[in-house]
Amino acid sequence: MSDSHADVVVVGSSVGSARLVEALRKEDWGGSIQVITKEETPFYNRPPLSKEFLLEDREVDSILLLDRAKQESLDLTVTTGVEAVGLDVARRQVQTTNGLYTYGELVLATGAAARPLPALDGYTNVFQLRDVHDARRLRDALKAARSAVVIGFGFIGCEFSSVALTLGVDVTVIDSSLKPYSHFGRYFSDALTSMHRDEGAKLILGSTVTKVNGLERVESLELDSGEVIGGDLFVVAIGATPATDWLKDSALQIDDGVLCDARLHAGPHVHAIGDIARWPHPISGRLTRVEHWTNAVDQAATVAHNIAYPAAQRAHAATPYFWSTQFGRSIQYLGFLDNFSAEAWLRSERGGIAAILGKDDRVRGVIGIDAATVLMRARPLVAEGTSWSVGISRVSEIAERAGFEWF
């Protein structure tokens, strides 16, 4: 057991933490920084875990955000293999499996945990994909597999499907929704599902698992449709939940994440970034929690500024942005894509599609497949909340230059 003190204590060591400590030093903030993480290797990049890391025999060193030399140059104290288990806001203390850590300012960056499917817990050929340990296990299993079953057609499930099919593994995907991603507009679901079917995936949509057959290993799944699906390995990819259980007895407000104010303050001298932070976004007009890499990076910059300059703090208003790569094709979206009331679609002769999505006569989001030029040039329209008519006019000009047309 140990007791320690630092001017800033950061709990968690993913991309948000890495960018936070870098930003603090760039702001010429000279206080002590202590990072606590349950990971054995801190500061690695997670997006490759569901893509290149599975395809290639990489080690974690190849995806580090901050190597040891960089950590030393930033004058960090990093404690690995230690889990936070409680927080006393009044005393400014984090309780861990290694003792107490007292802070001047605390940054919560514990991310999210993969949502389990209890019926499949404990089987040796069932996998989830959240950290490098998960990725190593899954990569080893893929080498010996001929068939894989994916439960969930979210982006992690889609990316794994893409990798497995590329490796020559037969893939079956089961999803409870009859039309996944329908909330992204009327054409996106068909485009994505067609992409996977065209590459050889079997999609079973609108179905759920009712029975698991097998003892130590899953042999097959029975679905509510009566269909029985077998496989060598099974991947559960049904989303994630914010890692806030350790904060349940703290004075912080927990409701689908840690509730923050506009500056990402969760409480006195407590800040939150990344997957766990839920804050009032000025564009969406509601409490927002975003589970994307770029969001964590943007929030880290905001919190670092607010710690370094307490008399000149700023609200966090970055536009959410996400990307995925599947079968060599680029999928991107930015803005707020749910609960929109207007949509306008573009396509290119090369098979790209894009949509402009709006609400309350304002541009609220852009989404596309192989449409990077359209999305990036339309980004200011979302950030500024441009009127729908002006947005359509500007996008028309962008689309024409990029080889897209309305349909």
Side-chain angles (χ1 to χ4, degrees):
M1 298 287 287
S2 65
D3 294 340
S4 178
H5 175 274
D7 296 312
V8 170
V9 170
V10 185
V11 184
S13 64
S14 194
V15 61
S17 302
R19 297 303 180 244
L20 172 85
V21 297
E22 287 182 312
L24 280 171
R25 295 313 189 201
K26 286 179 181 177
E27 298 280 9
D28 293 325
W29 191 83
S32 58
I33 302 174
Q34 166 78 60
V35 178
I36 307 163
T37 177
K38 64 180 180 180
E39 302 266 11
E40 293 299 332
T41 302
F43 305 124
Y44 61 83
N45 202 17
R46 293 179 189 269
L49 296 181
S50 58
K51 297 183 275 290
E52 306 97 290
F53 198 85
L54 294 180
L55 281 169
E56 306 163 9
D57 282 328
R58 292 190 178 193
E59 284 306 319
V60 69
D61 288 353
S62 70
I63 56 172
L64 288 179
L65 296 163
L66 301 177
D67 60 19
R68 188 171 296 277
K70 183 64 173 178
Q71 293 174 40
E72 290 177 357
S73 73
L74 293 169
D75 192 20
L76 307 179
T77 301
V78 182
T79 306
T80 61
V82 172
E83 189 167 1
V85 295
L87 171 63
D88 188 327
V89 174
R91 294 182 178 180
R92 298 198 204 179
Q93 289 181 328
V94 177
Q95 176 68 55
T96 76
T97 52
N98 191 44
L100 290 173
Y101 290 80
T102 303
Y103 58 85
E105 300 290 328
L106 174 66
V107 181
L108 308 175
T110 45
R115 182 177 286 115
L117 186 60
L120 289 172
D121 283 351
Y123 290 95
T124 58
N125 62 336
V126 172
F127 303 84
Q128 291 189 288
L129 187 51
R130 197 69 195 177
D131 59 28
V132 71
H133 173 71
D134 297 335
R136 287 192 185 110
R137 286 188 62 238
L138 186 51
R139 183 173 63 189
D140 290 344
L142 268 173
K143 292 176 181 177
R146 292 176 296 175
S147 59
V149 179
V150 184
I151 300 96
F153 198 59
F155 282 113
I156 294 295
C158 286
E159 290 171 357
F160 171 79
S161 174
S162 171
V163 168
L165 287 165
T166 299
L167 292 172
V169 177
D170 292 335
V171 173
T172 300
V173 181
I174 302 164
D175 195 272
S176 59
S177 173
L178 194 60
K179 199 173 179 65
Y181 302 101
S182 58
H183 58 296
F184 284 179
R186 59 181 177 269
Y187 296 119
F188 187 82
S189 177
D190 289 344
L192 195 61
T193 53
S194 293
M195 181 196 305
H196 281 258
R197 286 189 172 114
D198 290 347
E199 295 289 342
K202 178 182 180 181
L203 304 186
I204 303 175
L205 304 179
S207 292
T208 57
V209 176
T210 57
K211 185 179 179 182
V212 181
N213 298 316
L215 296 176
E216 292 185 1
R217 293 174 56 86
V218 175
E219 296 176 2
S220 64
L221 303 176
E222 295 185 22
L223 309 183
D224 55 3
S225 62
E227 198 165 357
V228 179
I229 305 298
D232 296 324
L233 64 86
F234 297 78
V235 176
V236 177
I238 55 174
T241 56
T244 57
D245 284 352
W246 68 283
L247 297 168
K248 63 184 179 181
D249 295 325
S250 72
L252 304 183
Q253 290 183 277
I254 309 298
D255 182 8
D256 184 33
V258 178
L259 297 186
C260 304
D261 66 15
R263 298 167 297 169
L264 301 175
H265 289 184
H269 306 285
V270 181
H271 317 260
I273 59 175
D275 295 358
I276 66 168
R278 191 165 176 234
W279 86 107
H281 198 288
I283 295 177
S284 72
R286 56 179 171 77
L287 286 171
T288 301
R289 187 174 68 83
V290 181
E291 294 180 2
H292 301 323
W293 191 94
T294 52
N295 175 68
V297 171
D298 292 338
Q299 289 184 335
T302 298
V303 168
H305 171 87
N306 291 345
I307 290 173
Y309 304 103
Q313 298 193 18
R314 63 191 184 202
H316 183 69
T319 303
Y321 167 73
F322 171 79
W323 82 94
S324 175
T325 302
Q326 300 167 32
F327 307 111
R329 302 189 68 183
S330 174
I331 299 165
Q332 298 169 295
Y333 72 75
L334 59 90
F336 300 89
L337 306 185
D338 59 334
N339 197 29
F340 56 87
S341 55
E343 55 185 302
W345 284 83
L346 295 154
R347 63 186 172 195
S348 73
E349 291 183 357
R350 292 172 292 180
I353 65 169
I356 313 302
L357 306 173
K359 182 183 179 184
D360 299 330
D361 197 39
R362 298 286 173 181
V363 176
R364 289 293 186 237
V366 190
I367 189 166
I369 299 175
D370 292 338
T373 300
V374 174
L375 264 75
M376 292 302 100
R377 292 183 179 175
R379 188 169 193 160
L381 306 179
V382 180
E384 296 164 9
T386 303
S387 73
W388 181 253
S389 59
V390 172
I392 291 295
S393 176
R394 290 184 184 174
V395 170
S396 293
E397 298 172 4
I398 295 167
E400 184 177 357
R401 292 194 296 270
F404 282 76
E405 62 181 9
W406 299 108
F407 72 99

mmCIF file of all heavy atoms in Angstrom, residues 162-190:
data_model
loop_
_atom_site.group_PDB
_atom_site.id
_atom_site.type_symbol
_atom_site.label_atom_id
_atom_site.label_comp_id
_atom_site.label_asym_id
_atom_site.label_seq_id
_atom_site.Cartn_x
_atom_site.Cartn_y
_atom_site.Cartn_z
ATOM 1 N N SER A 162 -14.987 -7.271 -41.083
ATOM 2 C CA SER A 162 -14.121 -6.926 -42.201
ATOM 3 C C SER A 162 -12.780 -7.640 -42.108
ATOM 4 O O SER A 162 -12.290 -8.209 -43.100
ATOM 5 C CB SER A 162 -13.903 -5.406 -42.228
ATOM 6 O OG SER A 162 -12.916 -5.042 -43.167
ATOM 7 N N VAL A 163 -12.168 -7.640 -40.916
ATOM 8 C CA VAL A 163 -10.874 -8.298 -40.728
ATOM 9 C C VAL A 163 -10.994 -9.799 -40.934
ATOM 10 O O VAL A 163 -10.182 -10.426 -41.643
ATOM 11 C CB VAL A 163 -10.324 -7.990 -39.323
ATOM 12 C CG1 VAL A 163 -9.136 -8.898 -38.996
ATOM 13 C CG2 VAL A 163 -9.898 -6.537 -39.223
ATOM 14 N N ALA A 164 -11.997 -10.430 -40.315
ATOM 15 C CA ALA A 164 -12.143 -11.882 -40.389
ATOM 16 C C ALA A 164 -12.356 -12.345 -41.828
ATOM 17 O O ALA A 164 -11.758 -13.336 -42.277
ATOM 18 C CB ALA A 164 -13.297 -12.335 -39.504
ATOM 19 N N LEU A 165 -13.198 -11.633 -42.566
ATOM 20 C CA LEU A 165 -13.427 -11.993 -43.966
ATOM 21 C C LEU A 165 -12.165 -11.806 -44.799
ATOM 22 O O LEU A 165 -11.869 -12.611 -45.693
ATOM 23 C CB LEU A 165 -14.576 -11.163 -44.537
ATOM 24 C CG LEU A 165 -15.972 -11.558 -44.035
ATOM 25 C CD1 LEU A 165 -16.982 -10.464 -44.352
ATOM 26 C CD2 LEU A 165 -16.421 -12.873 -44.654
ATOM 27 N N THR A 166 -11.403 -10.770 -44.500
ATOM 28 C CA THR A 166 -10.129 -10.544 -45.198
ATOM 29 C C THR A 166 -9.172 -11.701 -44.960
ATOM 30 O O THR A 166 -8.391 -12.078 -45.849
ATOM 31 C CB THR A 166 -9.490 -9.227 -44.728
ATOM 32 O OG1 THR A 166 -10.379 -8.149 -45.028
ATOM 33 C CG2 THR A 166 -8.157 -8.977 -45.400
ATOM 34 N N LEU A 167 -9.241 -12.319 -43.765
ATOM 35 C CA LEU A 167 -8.375 -13.446 -43.424
ATOM 36 C C LEU A 167 -8.930 -14.778 -43.919
ATOM 37 O O LEU A 167 -8.338 -15.829 -43.664
ATOM 38 C CB LEU A 167 -8.182 -13.500 -41.903
ATOM 39 C CG LEU A 167 -7.383 -12.349 -41.293
ATOM 40 C CD1 LEU A 167 -7.423 -12.415 -39.768
ATOM 41 C CD2 LEU A 167 -5.940 -12.358 -41.785
ATOM 42 N N GLY A 168 -10.071 -14.738 -44.606
ATOM 43 C CA GLY A 168 -10.643 -15.961 -45.154
ATOM 44 C C GLY A 168 -11.531 -16.739 -44.208
ATOM 45 O O GLY A 168 -11.853 -17.910 -44.460
ATOM 46 N N VAL A 169 -11.937 -16.114 -43.117
ATOM 47 C CA VAL A 169 -12.822 -16.750 -42.141
ATOM 48 C C VAL A 169 -14.274 -16.477 -42.528
ATOM 49 O O VAL A 169 -14.624 -15.339 -42.864
ATOM 50 C CB VAL A 169 -12.537 -16.213 -40.724
ATOM 51 C CG1 VAL A 169 -13.497 -16.810 -39.704
ATOM 52 C CG2 VAL A 169 -11.094 -16.497 -40.336
ATOM 53 N N ASP A 170 -15.119 -17.491 -42.504
ATOM 54 C CA ASP A 170 -16.547 -17.295 -42.740
ATOM 55 C C ASP A 170 -17.149 -16.517 -41.573
ATOM 56 O O ASP A 170 -16.855 -16.810 -40.411
ATOM 57 C CB ASP A 170 -17.271 -18.635 -42.872
ATOM 58 C CG ASP A 170 -16.873 -19.391 -44.136
ATOM 59 O OD1 ASP A 170 -16.454 -18.737 -45.101
ATOM 60 O OD2 ASP A 170 -16.982 -20.637 -44.145
ATOM 61 N N VAL A 171 -18.003 -15.545 -41.880
ATOM 62 C CA VAL A 171 -18.559 -14.680 -40.837
ATOM 63 C C VAL A 171 -20.079 -14.663 -40.915
ATOM 64 O O VAL A 171 -20.662 -14.475 -41.986
ATOM 65 C CB VAL A 171 -18.030 -13.231 -40.972
ATOM 66 C CG1 VAL A 171 -18.753 -12.303 -39.998
ATOM 67 C CG2 VAL A 171 -16.526 -13.186 -40.733
ATOM 68 N N THR A 172 -20.701 -14.859 -39.751
ATOM 69 C CA THR A 172 -22.141 -14.661 -39.585
ATOM 70 C C THR A 172 -22.341 -13.575 -38.547
ATOM 71 O O THR A 172 -21.734 -13.616 -37.470
ATOM 72 C CB THR A 172 -22.838 -15.950 -39.114
ATOM 73 O OG1 THR A 172 -22.639 -16.980 -40.086
ATOM 74 C CG2 THR A 172 -24.335 -15.721 -38.927
ATOM 75 N N VAL A 173 -23.158 -12.584 -38.865
ATOM 76 C CA VAL A 173 -23.437 -11.482 -37.944
ATOM 77 C C VAL A 173 -24.899 -11.539 -37.543
ATOM 78 O O VAL A 173 -25.790 -11.643 -38.400
ATOM 79 C CB VAL A 173 -23.133 -10.115 -38.578
ATOM 80 C CG1 VAL A 173 -23.408 -8.993 -37.582
ATOM 81 C CG2 VAL A 173 -21.689 -10.049 -39.060
ATOM 82 N N ILE A 174 -25.145 -11.477 -36.230
ATOM 83 C CA ILE A 174 -26.505 -11.480 -35.691
ATOM 84 C C ILE A 174 -26.751 -10.139 -35.021
ATOM 85 O O ILE A 174 -25.939 -9.682 -34.209
ATOM 86 C CB ILE A 174 -26.674 -12.609 -34.649
ATOM 87 C CG1 ILE A 174 -26.350 -13.972 -35.274
ATOM 88 C CG2 ILE A 174 -28.084 -12.599 -34.064
ATOM 89 C CD1 ILE A 174 -26.109 -15.062 -34.243
ATOM 90 N N ASP A 175 -27.855 -9.498 -35.359
ATOM 91 C CA ASP A 175 -28.185 -8.221 -34.723
ATOM 92 C C ASP A 175 -29.686 -8.168 -34.472
ATOM 93 O O ASP A 175 -30.480 -8.622 -35.303
ATOM 94 C CB ASP A 175 -27.762 -7.042 -35.595
ATOM 95 C CG ASP A 175 -27.750 -5.736 -34.813
ATOM 96 O OD1 ASP A 175 -28.803 -5.078 -34.746
ATOM 97 O OD2 ASP A 175 -26.689 -5.380 -34.260
ATOM 98 N N SER A 176 -30.057 -7.606 -33.326
ATOM 99 C CA SER A 176 -31.470 -7.557 -32.951
ATOM 100 C C SER A 176 -32.274 -6.579 -33.799
ATOM 101 O O SER A 176 -33.500 -6.691 -33.888
ATOM 102 C CB SER A 176 -31.612 -7.203 -31.470
ATOM 103 O OG SER A 176 -31.008 -5.944 -31.209
ATOM 104 N N SER A 177 -31.594 -5.618 -34.420
ATOM 105 C CA SER A 177 -32.300 -4.639 -35.244
ATOM 106 C C SER A 177 -32.518 -5.188 -36.647
ATOM 107 O O SER A 177 -31.615 -5.761 -37.253
ATOM 108 C CB SER A 177 -31.489 -3.338 -35.324
ATOM 109 O OG SER A 177 -32.076 -2.436 -36.240
ATOM 110 N N LEU A 178 -33.727 -4.983 -37.158
ATOM 111 C CA LEU A 178 -34.020 -5.408 -38.524
ATOM 112 C C LEU A 178 -33.326 -4.509 -39.533
ATOM 113 O O LEU A 178 -33.002 -4.936 -40.645
ATOM 114 C CB LEU A 178 -35.539 -5.394 -38.756
ATOM 115 C CG LEU A 178 -36.068 -6.101 -39.994
ATOM 116 C CD1 LEU A 178 -35.697 -7.590 -39.975
ATOM 117 C CD2 LEU A 178 -37.588 -5.948 -40.082
ATOM 118 N N LYS A 179 -33.055 -3.259 -39.126
ATOM 119 C CA LYS A 179 -32.396 -2.300 -40.020
ATOM 120 C C LYS A 179 -31.372 -1.495 -39.211
ATOM 121 O O LYS A 179 -31.641 -0.371 -38.799
ATOM 122 C CB LYS A 179 -33.442 -1.380 -40.656
ATOM 123 C CG LYS A 179 -32.967 -0.670 -41.928
ATOM 124 C CD LYS A 179 -34.129 0.075 -42.573
ATOM 125 C CE LYS A 179 -33.706 0.803 -43.827
ATOM 126 N NZ LYS A 179 -33.278 -0.123 -44.902
ATOM 127 N N PRO A 180 -30.179 -2.060 -38.997
ATOM 128 C CA PRO A 180 -29.167 -1.340 -38.207
ATOM 129 C C PRO A 180 -28.816 0.001 -38.845
ATOM 130 O O PRO A 180 -28.822 0.140 -40.069
ATOM 131 C CB PRO A 180 -27.962 -2.288 -38.248
ATOM 132 C CG PRO A 180 -28.510 -3.621 -38.640
ATOM 133 C CD PRO A 180 -29.698 -3.351 -39.488
ATOM 134 N N TYR A 181 -28.515 0.972 -38.000
ATOM 135 C CA TYR A 181 -28.105 2.306 -38.437
ATOM 136 C C TYR A 181 -29.219 3.072 -39.158
ATOM 137 O O TYR A 181 -28.943 4.052 -39.852
ATOM 138 C CB TYR A 181 -26.872 2.247 -39.352
ATOM 139 C CG TYR A 181 -25.677 1.591 -38.728
ATOM 140 C CD1 TYR A 181 -25.341 0.279 -39.027
ATOM 141 C CD2 TYR A 181 -24.869 2.280 -37.819
ATOM 142 C CE1 TYR A 181 -24.238 -0.340 -38.447
ATOM 143 C CE2 TYR A 181 -23.767 1.680 -37.239
ATOM 144 C CZ TYR A 181 -23.458 0.365 -37.553
ATOM 145 O OH TYR A 181 -22.373 -0.235 -36.971
ATOM 146 N N SER A 182 -30.452 2.664 -38.970
ATOM 147 C CA SER A 182 -31.543 3.395 -39.622
ATOM 148 C C SER A 182 -31.617 4.829 -39.122
ATOM 149 O O SER A 182 -32.121 5.717 -39.826
ATOM 150 C CB SER A 182 -32.878 2.685 -39.396
ATOM 151 O OG SER A 182 -33.149 2.560 -38.012
ATOM 152 N N HIS A 183 -31.090 5.085 -37.916
ATOM 153 C CA HIS A 183 -31.095 6.444 -37.365
ATOM 154 C C HIS A 183 -30.053 7.333 -38.050
ATOM 155 O O HIS A 183 -29.968 8.524 -37.740
ATOM 156 C CB HIS A 183 -30.857 6.415 -35.853
ATOM 157 C CG HIS A 183 -29.571 5.771 -35.435
ATOM 158 N ND1 HIS A 183 -29.294 4.443 -35.655
ATOM 159 C CD2 HIS A 183 -28.479 6.276 -34.808
ATOM 160 C CE1 HIS A 183 -28.098 4.155 -35.181
ATOM 161 N NE2 HIS A 183 -27.585 5.248 -34.662
ATOM 162 N N PHE A 184 -29.258 6.768 -38.968
ATOM 163 C CA PHE A 184 -28.295 7.558 -39.730
ATOM 164 C C PHE A 184 -28.836 7.981 -41.087
ATOM 165 O O PHE A 184 -28.078 8.466 -41.926
ATOM 166 C CB PHE A 184 -27.007 6.765 -39.937
ATOM 167 C CG PHE A 184 -26.125 6.677 -38.717
ATOM 168 C CD1 PHE A 184 -24.941 5.972 -38.769
ATOM 169 C CD2 PHE A 184 -26.471 7.291 -37.530
ATOM 170 C CE1 PHE A 184 -24.108 5.875 -37.650
ATOM 171 C CE2 PHE A 184 -25.657 7.207 -36.407
ATOM 172 C CZ PHE A 184 -24.473 6.497 -36.472
ATOM 173 N N GLY A 185 -30.104 7.804 -41.321
ATOM 174 C CA GLY A 185 -30.683 8.208 -42.595
ATOM 175 C C GLY A 185 -31.157 7.026 -43.420
ATOM 176 O O GLY A 185 -30.790 5.877 -43.178
ATOM 177 N N ARG A 186 -31.974 7.303 -44.409
ATOM 178 C CA ARG A 186 -32.700 6.231 -45.094
ATOM 179 C C ARG A 186 -31.831 5.346 -45.979
ATOM 180 O O ARG A 186 -32.240 4.234 -46.329
ATOM 181 C CB ARG A 186 -33.848 6.812 -45.914
ATOM 182 C CG ARG A 186 -33.474 7.823 -46.988
ATOM 183 C CD ARG A 186 -34.726 8.335 -47.700
ATOM 184 N NE ARG A 186 -34.431 9.371 -48.690
ATOM 185 C CZ ARG A 186 -34.423 10.664 -48.437
ATOM 186 N NH1 ARG A 186 -34.675 11.084 -47.204
ATOM 187 N NH2 ARG A 186 -34.153 11.545 -49.376
ATOM 188 N N TYR A 187 -30.619 5.775 -46.348
ATOM 189 C CA TYR A 187 -29.798 4.968 -47.240
ATOM 190 C C TYR A 187 -28.576 4.341 -46.578
ATOM 191 O O TYR A 187 -27.976 3.414 -47.132
ATOM 192 C CB TYR A 187 -29.332 5.814 -48.440
ATOM 193 C CG TYR A 187 -30.453 6.299 -49.314
ATOM 194 C CD1 TYR A 187 -30.682 7.662 -49.485
ATOM 195 C CD2 TYR A 187 -31.306 5.403 -49.951
ATOM 196 C CE1 TYR A 187 -31.715 8.124 -50.285
ATOM 197 C CE2 TYR A 187 -32.346 5.850 -50.752
ATOM 198 C CZ TYR A 187 -32.543 7.222 -50.908
ATOM 199 O OH TYR A 187 -33.580 7.668 -51.691
ATOM 200 N N PHE A 188 -28.193 4.834 -45.415
ATOM 201 C CA PHE A 188 -26.938 4.376 -44.822
ATOM 202 C C PHE A 188 -26.990 2.903 -44.434
ATOM 203 O O PHE A 188 -26.050 2.145 -44.693
ATOM 204 C CB PHE A 188 -26.579 5.228 -43.604
ATOM 205 C CG PHE A 188 -25.208 4.916 -43.052
ATOM 206 C CD1 PHE A 188 -24.076 5.473 -43.628
ATOM 207 C CD2 PHE A 188 -25.053 4.064 -41.984
ATOM 208 C CE1 PHE A 188 -22.812 5.181 -43.142
ATOM 209 C CE2 PHE A 188 -23.794 3.761 -41.485
ATOM 210 C CZ PHE A 188 -22.672 4.324 -42.066
ATOM 211 N N SER A 189 -28.080 2.463 -43.835
ATOM 212 C CA SER A 189 -28.193 1.068 -43.412
ATOM 213 C C SER A 189 -28.043 0.122 -44.592
ATOM 214 O O SER A 189 -27.280 -0.857 -44.539
ATOM 215 C CB SER A 189 -29.533 0.824 -42.722
ATOM 216 O OG SER A 189 -29.685 -0.542 -42.376
ATOM 217 N N ASP A 190 -28.758 0.410 -45.667
ATOM 218 C CA ASP A 190 -28.674 -0.454 -46.846
ATOM 219 C C ASP A 190 -27.266 -0.469 -47.426
ATOM 220 O O ASP A 190 -26.772 -1.515 -47.865
ATOM 221 C CB ASP A 190 -29.670 0.003 -47.918
ATOM 222 C CG ASP A 190 -31.120 -0.272 -47.530
ATOM 223 O OD1 ASP A 190 -31.338 -1.070 -46.594
ATOM 224 O OD2 ASP A 190 -32.015 0.316 -48.144
#
